[in-house]
Amino acid sequence: MRRYFLAPLVLAALLVVLLLRPELMTPLLRLLAEPGQDLIYDRKPLMTLALWHLALVGAAGLVATVIGLALGILVTRPGGAEFMTLARMASNLGQTFPPIAVLAVAVPLLGFGFEPTFLALCVYGLLPVFETTVAGLRGVSAPVREAARGMGLSGVQRLWRVELPLAMPVILTGIRLSTVINIGTATIGSTVGAVGLGEVIVAGLQSGNTAFVAQGAALVALMAICAETALRGLGRLADSGALTRA
C-alpha cells in the first residue's frame, strides 16, 4: 500500500513547502517578470488560497460523485434503464456549456463568490463519474451476477457486495478525471469573486505580471498532479482488491 502513495506524499510535501515558502520560486520567477515587478503574490497567504481552492473542488466533487453514482446505478437497474437517455443528457450538460457560461447564468441568481463557482464545478464534473459508473457496472459479467443471485443475495446486496466493488476501479477513474479537471477549472471562479489560487493568475493577467501567472499556474498544476497520483494509487488498490478486503 505504501508504494502507491509515496509519490503523492512527496508531491504534497513539495506543494506545502512552496505554499509556505513561495520565495523559493524567486529564481525562476525572476526570469519571467519585468524589471520592478513583484515576484511573489502576497496580497493573501498562498496557503489560505490553496485551502479554499481545495475546499471548493472537494465540495463540488463530492456532490458530483454522489449524483453521478446515483444516476449510474439508477440507469443500470432494470427499472431505471428507460431513464438512460435523460440521465446522459443531464450529465452531458456540463460539457456542452463551458464553465464560464454556467457562471454567467449563475451569478445573477446566486451572486458572486463561492456559490456560482460551486454550481459550475458540480455540473462540469458530473459526466466522468456518471459514464464510468455506467461502464463499470455494465462490465460486471453475467456469470458473476448469476453466482451472486444463486447465493441468495437480494438486488441491493448484489449491488453493494458484488457489483460496486468490482466496478470500483473504473468508477475511481471517473472520479479522478472529474477531480483533476475541476482543480484547473476552479481557477476561473476568481473572476466572480471565489477565493482560490485563481486569484494569483487573475492578478497577474490584470497587472501584466507574468511571474504571478506562472506562480499561480504552477501551484494549481502541482495540486492537480498530487490529486491525480493519489487517486490513481487508490484505483490501483481497488484493482488489487485491497479496498474490498479492508
Side-chain angles (χ1 to χ4, degrees):
M1 182 180 296
R2 186 179 303 173
R3 70 179 183 273
Y4 293 136
F5 296 103
L6 180 59
L9 287 174
V10 172
L11 291 170
L14 175 60
L15 177 61
V16 170
V17 169
L18 293 179
L19 289 170
L20 295 176
R21 298 287 303 278
E23 63 272 12
L24 295 176
M25 293 184 279
T26 299
L28 293 176
L29 297 177
R30 187 175 288 117
L31 300 175
L32 301 173
E34 299 292 333
Q37 286 185 328
D38 293 331
L39 299 178
I40 302 298
Y41 183 84
D42 58 1
R43 299 174 192 174
K44 291 182 182 178
L46 291 178
M47 180 60 76
T48 299
L49 296 179
L51 290 175
W52 274 104
H53 197 104
L54 282 175
L56 177 59
V57 172
L62 179 60
V63 172
T65 297
V66 170
I67 295 175
L69 278 171
L71 287 176
I73 291 171
L74 172 66
V75 300
T76 54
R77 303 303 93 186
E82 60 187 283
F83 297 104
M84 171 61 82
T85 301
L86 181 61
R88 182 156 279 154
M89 287 176 58
S91 61
N92 276 323
L93 189 63
Q95 303 295 328
T96 303
F97 298 99
I100 195 68
V102 178
L103 287 176
V105 174
V107 165
L109 300 174
L110 302 176
F112 289 87
F114 181 93
E115 291 82 0
T117 309
F118 172 80
L119 176 61
L121 295 183
C122 287
V123 173
Y124 207 60
L126 180 59
L127 180 63
V129 180
F130 170 74
E131 291 292 351
T132 53
T133 299
V134 172
L137 291 174
R138 285 182 170 176
V140 178
S141 64
V144 170
R145 297 175 190 270
E146 289 300 322
R149 186 178 291 107
M151 293 171 61
L153 297 180
S154 67
V156 174
Q157 289 174 326
R158 291 196 300 272
L159 173 66
W160 289 103
R161 296 185 184 182
V162 178
E163 295 180 55
L164 281 176
L166 291 174
M168 192 53 63
V170 180
I171 295 172
L172 284 172
T173 299
I175 295 174
R176 173 167 54 86
L177 291 173
S178 177
T179 301
V180 171
I181 289 171
N182 275 350
I183 287 176
T185 306
T187 57
I188 67 168
S190 296
T191 61
V192 294
V195 181
L197 289 171
E199 284 191 26
V200 185
I201 299 174
V202 171
L205 294 174
Q206 290 176 338
S207 62
N209 190 327
T210 308
F212 282 2
V213 176
Q215 182 182 5
L219 292 173
V220 171
L222 185 55
M223 184 182 291
I225 293 171
C226 287
E228 198 276 342
T229 52
L231 290 170
R232 186 180 292 275
L234 194 61
R236 288 173 179 168
L237 275 180
D239 200 28
S240 68
L243 291 182
T244 304
R245 291 193 299 269

